[in-house]
Amino acid sequence: MSGRGSGRGGPPRGATGQGGRGGSFGTPRGNYQGDRGRGGGHSRGDRGGYRGDRGGARGGGGGARGGRYKDEFEDGGVIYTAGGEPLEPPAADVEKQENALVRRGEEVSLSGLSLDELALPSRPSYGTKGRPIVVRSNYFKLLTRPDGAMIFRYQMAFEPNLQDEKTRRVNRRKTRRLVELLFSNNTNLQSAGVATDYSKLIVTAQKLPLGNAGSITIPQKYWEPEDDGPSPKSKIYKVKISDEFAMPLQQLLDYVSSPPGVTSASFDKAEVIQALNIIMTRTASENRSIYGGGDQKKFFTYPTDENAWYNLGSGLIALKGFYTSVRASTARLLVNINVANAAFYPNASLLGLMRLHTPNRANDSRSGLEGFISRLKVSHTYIRAKKNDPNSSVKRVKTVQGFSHPRANQNLIPLGNAKQITFECPEVQATGKISVEKYFERKYNIQLKQPLEPVINVGTKEKPSWIPPELLIVEPGQQYRRKLDGQQTDRMLGFAVRKPAENARRIVEQGAAMMGLSETSQNLVGIRQTAPRDHQLILFKLAFGVKVIPKMITVRARILPSVPLQYKLANRPKSFPTANGGWDIRGRHFSESKQLRNWTFIKFVDNVVSDRDVEGFRGIIRHSGMNSDEPTPSTGVLQPLRGGRDNEDSDDKIIELTMAKAASRNLKVLLVILPDKSAFIYSRVKYWAEVKHGIHTICSVGEYLREKGAQYWANIGHKFNLKLGGINQMLPPDKLGILSEKVMLAGMDVTHPSPGSIEGAPSIAGVVASIDGRYGQWPGSIRAQTSRMEMIQELDKLFGERLDLWRKHNQGSLPVRIIIYRDGVSEGQYPTLLQKELPQIQKACEARYPGGRLPKISMVVCGKRHHTRFFPTKEEDADYKKTMNPPNGTVVDRGVTMEKGWDFFLQAHHCLQGTARPTHYVVIYDKNDMDADKMEALTHNLCYMFGRATKAVSLCPPAYYADLICERGRSYLYKEYNARDSQTVTSGQTFDWLRSPWVEGVHPAIKDSMFYI
């Protein structure tokens, strides 16, 4: 039914039914009794019993569990023992092949190299330093058929296409359904030897009969699972299957066992790996109760008991699932499986979800709520399949557009409810307009229980379709992709943080089964290992000819020794030992201490900092060697903020005026006391102080100052000293190694806008670098650049600024060596770094080095977004705090590393809780002729040099600092990066470079400092 005037009510067709069952979706007011009827299909209707954790965030109430998460995998020992089986040694054949492939001084010819292999240096050696141990890793060996398996990949194309005309987004739900129908109606696609990504690819064990044309087009009627079947009105799509690509798996195995100079030019390695991933995930992908995480490599399930849902607060729950990916390593193929954790929308009543997210019913602006539910898939079941059968409800899935907003030619009330929103509908009311409430009463015989709630537009802005939220159910499997708030993050940590043995058991016992890779579930891809060889070959031919051994592999690791550090004692440099990745600075002074002058407290919350606290703070930083003047004024500046989204504009104005007044008083450093962990307030403080007025700020939540004591004050002192140009700790001369040779260390990173950002919001690039041979100061350059551009634009300018500052601090000389740690780059982008960024760095050098005597450059990519984990096999080889992770200093450079190239995994930090994630380092360019031991030791030693910590950190500081400076840029553009939450950004607005509040750099007064720390 077409609406006119104010829009249209309800769906365009159908007879009456009853609403989806709401269950008892908890709200801050108690259990909200939901609507009528039951959802059809696999969505399970609305789940009941989603209760808060005894007060919880923003109103608490009722309950999915919060607090500490506990499940069946906690019990079973502190060391994972694989069911008590004898520990298998690392694969001897793989180690033999690794040793044979190590570069022995010769250079690899670049002729014939593919783009993926362009100029990546070969591994010069394997590391030998450190105490050797054996660890398990979350990889499973992938076997192929002994006589060689062949798989085939095909492309699918759909006509008409399944993209939204405006957003150009592919309708993934509809695409999946169409592929399901295609497979169910075509016998050639129904064998065990067929898999799909339910998007555009098909992988088979046998050729498909495409004929001489090399393609086939199949007409396919589209209908929903809840329908009785196709009807004469069902839309017909044409599905074209074409582009056959044959993939002999033995070719890939030969490649990963070949010397560095052998290329993959004869086949596309990435395409073969992609096909294997589709095969490996078929079992999970075709299970309708398992939901993908968006990248076709993560899979999640909802607990069958909704009372076991883990509440994150504000309408979100946490789910556990698994990540899986096929990886090529030296001489073998591996399947990586890891535990995944993510925030999801609950499969529940939309109205209950809205009330949990915004419990303050007096606040009619519903700040942030529309952004929270926008684009959600929701369903209703009030339409009857049979006119006179009240039990024949039909499920329909819709997409939330938002609430009502005034628009041209639409006289709509903002956030209009079912009584207020009206439209013309001659079918139901012959003349005049009818309200949404009356429409549902007359058309579907539904008496709304909550007619004063804002109705939901599930149509378009131009042609809205209004449905009351009490009649809508949130479809399951929808991941929340925006940033969690502080309290949600804390709860997610409580849910996700699991000890290594627990995660290992979960991976082997549950993860492998979900993926169909356990011994009992490999009917798709496997063979029985105990079967005779002839039987194995027969079973291989029935499927794809591959099998996964569902046991974690073992690899060799080494524990590098702790690194001593240099502080001052009695005004003289002195080295002190560290232990287990940490150290105590009591009784020691910073290596170079600065004077704290022209400073004060800014108190944005009352009754927090007393005179006694101020004097205590000054006393603590004096113990670190810093001297402090009296704050001016001595009692600080009190200017309380109101807080909350609805007060953002007024709070921002207060912050602006406060910083301007501080600048007028010539204040250089401010300790800013915040009322809470509001990202908005923090970001605006940084913007006004650093960009507009050149004032250093250190922010702290007021309650932390009261509760955390002397150690917390000492940590603040670390930041003060760094911002003022001091040096906290140094490496002793005997630990510098190559760093004693006039080396500049640099870190580079790019961060991108997250979901919820304004359209076209820029990415932010940052470059930091050391300024002398003490490696304690790391000023940086920062700028916005083209949205989602991974390569740093105008890098020659940014890097040139770092070289100029080095020259300023070194009597006009320049470094003879440059070692760069580049963060945030995926494996497929390594060649692009060499093609795009390295030439810009060289260009910056060429413009400054006289006579062409250029520095020797090395570039190392750092990765934390991987899924490799290591698990100790003996208690004596686990860390001292009994979290039972590998000890800090654990390095692995064989067994799970790249089949070509030079990489290693390093866990430099002591993991305080959960399962440690090592950092993956890949050397993509090296003109400094370093071997494995030197590169690993350099990287490990630097992890003790992160200036604001008294523990070794997990990411090498140059990259860590680059990450921090990029995050500071996000703060400067907080409103643009959080458009859906901000009251000052208009819906649909796009980023305007000319009007942007910030695009580059900071105030000149602080640009050559570590302002971002």
Side-chain angles (χ1 to χ4, degrees):
M1 177 193 63
S2 269
R4 282 166 286 176
S6 299
R8 57 191 173 95
R13 64 184 185 278
T16 62
Q18 293 200 347
R21 178 179 64 86
S24 54
F25 188 59
T27 75
R29 297 178 174 180
N31 285 338
Y32 163 67
Q33 298 301 320
D35 314 307
R36 299 163 293 183
R38 184 173 181 84
H42 65 278
S43 72
R44 313 183 198 101
D46 178 20
R47 315 302 301 207
Y50 178 68
R51 302 190 301 270
D53 55 340
R54 301 192 180 185
R58 302 181 186 175
R65 296 183 300 141
R68 185 176 181 278
Y69 178 81
K70 179 174 175 33
D71 64 20
E72 69 272 23
F73 294 101
E74 282 197 13
D75 301 323
V78 295
I79 295 291
Y80 174 67
T81 60
E85 294 182 4
L87 180 67
E88 293 185 4
D93 58 332
V94 172
E95 291 187 345
K96 181 179 179 180
Q97 189 73 12
E98 286 173 335
N99 294 334
L101 297 179
V102 167
R103 183 186 70 194
R104 292 183 173 86
E106 71 274 14
E107 287 294 328
V108 178
S109 171
L110 303 184
S111 61
L113 288 178
S114 69
L115 178 64
D116 288 342
E117 301 159 324
L118 178 65
L120 295 183
S122 300
R123 189 181 301 275
S125 59
Y126 286 100
T128 60
K129 305 296 184 184
R131 179 169 69 88
I133 62 172
V134 172
V135 295
R136 285 188 171 90
S137 188
N138 57 334
Y139 285 85
F140 302 79
K141 189 173 182 180
L142 175 62
L143 303 179
T144 62
R145 191 169 63 204
D147 64 347
M150 179 78 78
I151 58 177
F152 302 87
R153 188 226 62 201
Y154 300 88
Q155 298 272 1
M156 288 183 289
F158 307 98
E159 183 185 341
N161 65 49
L162 292 157
Q163 288 183 328
D164 183 277
E165 292 182 4
K166 286 195 170 183
T167 65
R168 309 306 298 170
R169 294 191 183 103
V170 173
N171 188 323
R172 295 174 60 186
R173 184 192 67 83
K174 203 167 185 176
T175 303
R176 178 188 174 93
R177 176 60 183 163
L178 186 59
V179 175
E180 287 175 343
L181 291 170
L182 179 73
F183 273 50
S184 65
N185 293 326
N186 292 273
T187 56
N188 288 324
L189 300 175
Q190 293 173 4
S191 71
V194 179
T196 177
D197 65 353
Y198 292 97
S199 175
K200 59 183 179 180
L201 298 178
I202 298 174
V203 180
T204 67
Q206 303 293 331
K207 283 190 174 186
L208 295 178
L210 300 185
N212 294 332
S215 67
I216 185 172
T217 299
I218 304 172
Q220 177 61 58
K221 283 190 172 184
Y222 183 90
W223 50 280
E224 295 289 355
E226 295 77 21
D227 297 336
D228 292 336
S231 72
K233 295 183 179 180
S234 296
K235 187 171 184 176
I236 298 176
Y237 288 86
K238 294 180 180 179
V239 184
K240 182 180 180 181
I241 301 175
S242 61
D243 297 328
E244 178 180 284
F245 180 48
M247 303 178 179
L249 294 184
Q250 190 58 45
Q251 207 170 34
L252 177 58
L253 285 170
D254 291 342
Y255 168 71
V256 299
S257 300
S258 63
V262 177
T263 75
S264 60
S266 60
F267 72 104
D268 191 323
K269 185 188 79 170
E271 294 222 25
V272 180
I273 295 293
Q274 182 186 39
L276 287 172
N277 276 321
I278 292 172
I279 295 170
M280 291 299 111
T281 58
R282 176 182 146 169
T283 300
S285 295
E286 67 186 5
N287 189 329
R288 299 285 289 187
S289 66
I290 296 176
Y291 302 97
D295 58 1
Q296 299 179 331
K297 291 184 179 181
K298 292 180 182 177
F299 300 89
F300 298 87
T301 57
Y302 284 72
T304 54
D305 178 7
E306 58 264 31
N307 290 302
W309 290 357
Y310 188 87
N311 179 19
L312 294 177
S314 299
L316 296 178
I317 62 174
L319 296 183
K320 284 193 179 291
F322 296 93
Y323 165 93
T324 185
S325 178
V326 175
R327 305 287 297 174
S329 188
T330 302
R332 60 183 173 183
L333 301 177
L334 301 171
V335 179
N336 180 208
I337 301 179
N338 191 34
V339 175
N341 302 277
F344 277 77
Y345 292 91
N347 173 208
S349 159
L350 178 61
L351 178 56
L353 178 69
M354 290 164 56
R355 288 179 165 179
L356 275 176
H357 185 266
T358 311
N360 182 7
R361 312 307 290 165
N363 176 15
D364 288 333
S365 70
R366 311 293 169 92
S367 175
L369 177 57
E370 186 169 33
F372 180 69
I373 64 173
S374 178
R375 308 303 303 173
L376 269 182
K377 298 295 181 184
V378 293
S379 62
H380 61 73
T381 57
Y382 52 75
I383 298 177
R384 295 176 188 165
K386 300 176 183 177
K387 186 172 183 180
N388 297 318
D389 183 358
N391 296 316
S392 63
S393 61
V394 176
K395 176 181 170 184
R396 289 288 180 258
V397 178
K398 304 289 182 179
T399 300
V400 172
Q401 177 70 37
F403 300 130
S404 63
H405 296 282
R407 291 178 58 83
N409 303 320
Q410 294 180 7
N411 186 23
L412 296 177
I413 298 172
L415 293 162
N417 60 44
K419 291 180 178 292
Q420 296 169 326
I421 298 297
T422 61
F423 56 93
E424 295 178 354
C425 183
E427 176 189 359
V428 178
Q429 182 168 298
T431 61
K433 294 183 178 182
I434 187 173
S435 70
V436 173
E437 179 186 30
K438 291 298 183 183
Y439 171 84
F440 277 91
E441 180 182 341
R442 296 178 187 178
K443 175 78 174 176
Y444 299 108
N445 194 30
I446 295 176
Q447 296 285 341
L448 297 180
K449 295 180 180 180
Q450 307 291 335
L452 299 182
E453 295 291 340
V455 292
I456 305 298
N457 179 11
V458 296
T460 65
K461 291 180 181 179
E462 294 74 20
K463 295 182 178 181
S465 178
W466 306 108
I467 301 180
E470 65 186 81
L471 302 181
L472 295 172
I473 304 297
V474 179
E475 283 289 279
Q478 299 185 78
Q479 187 175 341
Y480 182 76
R481 301 189 178 279
R482 297 166 64 194
K483 188 175 181 179
L484 299 177
D485 64 30
Q487 194 160 36
Q488 289 170 333
T489 300
D490 291 342
R491 291 186 181 186
M492 177 59 85
L493 288 173
F495 176 78
V497 169
R498 304 288 98 192
K499 290 185 177 180
E502 180 183 342
N503 273 341
R505 286 188 288 270
R506 185 186 302 276
I507 289 167
V508 175
E509 297 174 26
Q510 191 178 73
M514 178 187 283
M515 300 302 162
L517 305 181
S518 64
E519 289 286 4
T520 57
S521 62
Q522 290 199 59
N523 59 323
L524 164 67
V525 296
I527 58 171
R528 293 195 298 272
Q529 203 166 8
T530 57
R533 187 173 185 278
D534 291 343
H535 191 195
Q536 290 183 19
L537 289 174
I538 292 171
L539 291 172
F540 263 136
K541 291 176 182 177
L542 292 178
F544 290 96
V546 294
K547 175 183 173 62
V548 175
I549 305 300
K551 296 180 181 179
M552 286 191 182
I553 65 171
T554 58
V555 296
R556 300 197 186 279
R558 292 167 288 113
I559 304 172
L560 301 180
S562 290
V563 180
L565 291 172
Q566 184 173 290
Y567 284 88
K568 277 189 177 178
L569 186 64
N571 211 32
R572 287 188 160 189
K574 182 176 176 58
S575 294
F576 295 90
T578 63
N580 305 304
W583 58 95
D584 190 343
I585 66 166
R586 284 178 294 186
R588 307 166 192 176
H589 288 179
F590 294 141
S591 293
E592 181 181 330
S593 301
K594 293 296 183 179
Q595 179 90 11
L596 184 55
R597 296 189 176 98
N598 297 348
W599 76 287
T600 195
F601 292 79
I602 300 291
K603 295 179 282 190
F604 286 131
V605 60
D606 202 358
N607 300 321
V608 173
V609 178
S610 65
D611 293 344
R612 182 178 179 182
D613 292 326
V614 174
E615 191 53 41
F617 167 65
R618 294 177 64 202
I620 287 170
I621 63 173
R622 276 197 298 269
H623 288 309
S624 300
M626 292 182 67
N627 289 319
S628 167
D629 292 348
E630 283 277 347
T632 307
S634 61
T635 57
V637 176
L638 176 62
Q639 186 63 65
L641 301 177
R642 297 179 65 184
R645 286 183 177 139
D646 293 328
N647 297 309
E648 285 183 356
D649 287 344
S650 59
D651 283 348
D652 191 19
K653 192 64 178 178
I654 291 172
I655 295 168
E656 177 188 1
L657 295 175
T658 302
M659 295 303 159
K661 191 172 183 179
S664 70
R665 293 181 175 180
N666 199 34
L667 292 172
K668 303 299 184 185
V669 184
L670 300 175
L671 178 57
V672 181
I673 315 301
L674 305 178
D676 53 36
K677 299 196 316 190
S678 163
F680 173 80
I681 293 175
Y682 173 89
S683 297
R684 300 311 290 165
V685 167
K686 295 299 181 183
Y687 172 77
W688 290 114
E690 296 173 353
V691 176
K692 294 300 183 180
H693 297 294
I695 302 174
H696 287 298
T697 60
I698 293 175
C699 295
S700 174
V701 176
E703 62 185 48
Y704 293 173
L705 298 178
R706 288 195 303 263
E707 298 173 359
K708 297 196 174 184
Q711 183 58 50
Y712 187 74
W713 286 111
N715 291 340
I716 291 177
H718 277 73
K719 295 181 183 180
F720 270 127
N721 198 47
L722 291 174
K723 286 176 183 285
L724 294 173
I727 297 174
N728 293 345
Q729 71 262 36
M730 292 171 54
L731 288 172
D734 63 333
K735 294 297 179 182
L736 287 174
I738 194 174
L739 296 182
S740 63
E741 302 175 23
K742 214 172 178 183
V743 177
M744 185 177 86
L745 295 172
M748 306 192 309
D749 192 16
V750 176
T751 187
H752 302 291
S754 53
S757 300
I758 194 172
E759 184 70 25
S763 295
I764 296 170
V767 179
V768 302
S770 58
I771 60 172
D772 55 33
R774 297 176 296 176
Y775 306 101
Q777 274 290 304
W778 300 77
S781 301
I782 179 176
R783 70 186 302 273
Q785 64 177 36
T786 303
S787 184
R788 304 200 176 281
M789 172 65 69
E790 184 55 63
M791 298 300 111
I792 299 176
Q793 296 174 321
E794 296 187 30
L795 179 56
D796 57 331
K797 174 185 173 182
L798 299 181
F799 207 87
E801 291 172 356
R802 298 303 98 219
L803 289 169
D804 292 341
L805 191 60
W806 168 281
R807 180 160 51 188
K808 179 180 176 180
H809 285 268
N810 291 271
Q811 295 79 47
S813 67
L814 288 163
V816 297
R817 301 179 189 271
I818 297 174
I819 301 174
I820 302 161
Y821 287 85
R822 175 64 157 93
D823 193 18
V825 177
S826 64
E827 184 176 342
Q829 294 170 321
Y830 298 164
T832 312
L833 284 179
L834 298 177
Q835 290 180 318
K836 301 292 186 181
E837 292 191 352
L838 180 60
Q840 290 191 68
I841 294 169
Q842 293 168 331
K843 178 182 177 182
C845 294
E846 290 167 357
R848 288 163 176 82
Y849 282 74
R853 300 177 61 182
L854 299 178
K856 296 180 178 180
I857 298 174
S858 297
M859 185 179 287
V860 184
V861 173
C862 318
K864 292 286 286 184
R865 295 180 181 176
H866 62 82
H867 293 269
T868 299
R869 303 293 184 268
F870 300 112
F871 305 90
T873 55
K874 300 177 183 178
E875 285 197 41
E876 55 267 33
D877 292 337
D879 62 35
Y880 81 112
K881 287 284 189 182
K882 302 304 179 185
T883 62
M884 290 301 159
N885 278 291
N888 78 288
T890 297
V891 62
V892 175
D893 62 2
R894 55 167 75 228
V896 294
T897 45
M898 299 166 60
E899 79 282 4
K900 310 280 184 182
W902 177 10
D903 65 327
F904 59 94
F905 293 91
L906 173 64
Q907 182 205 316
H909 67 297
H910 164 66
C911 185
L912 297 176
Q913 58 179 353
T915 301
R917 175 168 53 183
T919 299
H920 186 209
Y921 296 94
V922 183
V923 182
I924 65 168
Y925 190 79
D926 178 38
K927 293 302 179 182
N928 285 295
D929 297 324
M930 301 178 73
D931 62 21
D933 280 326
K934 288 180 180 178
M935 181 62 77
E936 291 166 8
L938 168 66
T939 306
H940 180 238
N941 292 354
L942 286 175
C943 288
Y944 285 71
M945 288 289 290
F946 187 64
R948 72 181 191 191
T950 55
K951 296 181 183 297
V953 292
S954 60
L955 178 63
C956 195
Y960 201 150
Y961 289 136
D963 177 79
L964 290 179
I965 202 171
C966 287
E967 284 299 310
R968 185 54 51 83
R970 296 178 72 93
S971 294
Y972 300 155
L973 293 177
Y974 176 86
K975 295 178 182 180
E976 289 72 18
Y977 270 58
N978 297 272
R980 289 184 185 172
D981 290 339
S982 177
Q983 295 297 293
T984 60
V985 176
T986 305
S987 177
Q989 185 177 339
T990 58
F991 184 77
D992 187 334
W993 283 89
L994 296 178
R995 297 184 179 182
S996 175
W998 175 86
V999 293
E1000 183 176 20
V1002 292
H1003 193 280
I1006 61 172
K1007 72 179 183 66
D1008 290 336
S1009 70
M1010 294 179 71
F1011 61 88
Y1012 58 86
I1013 197 71

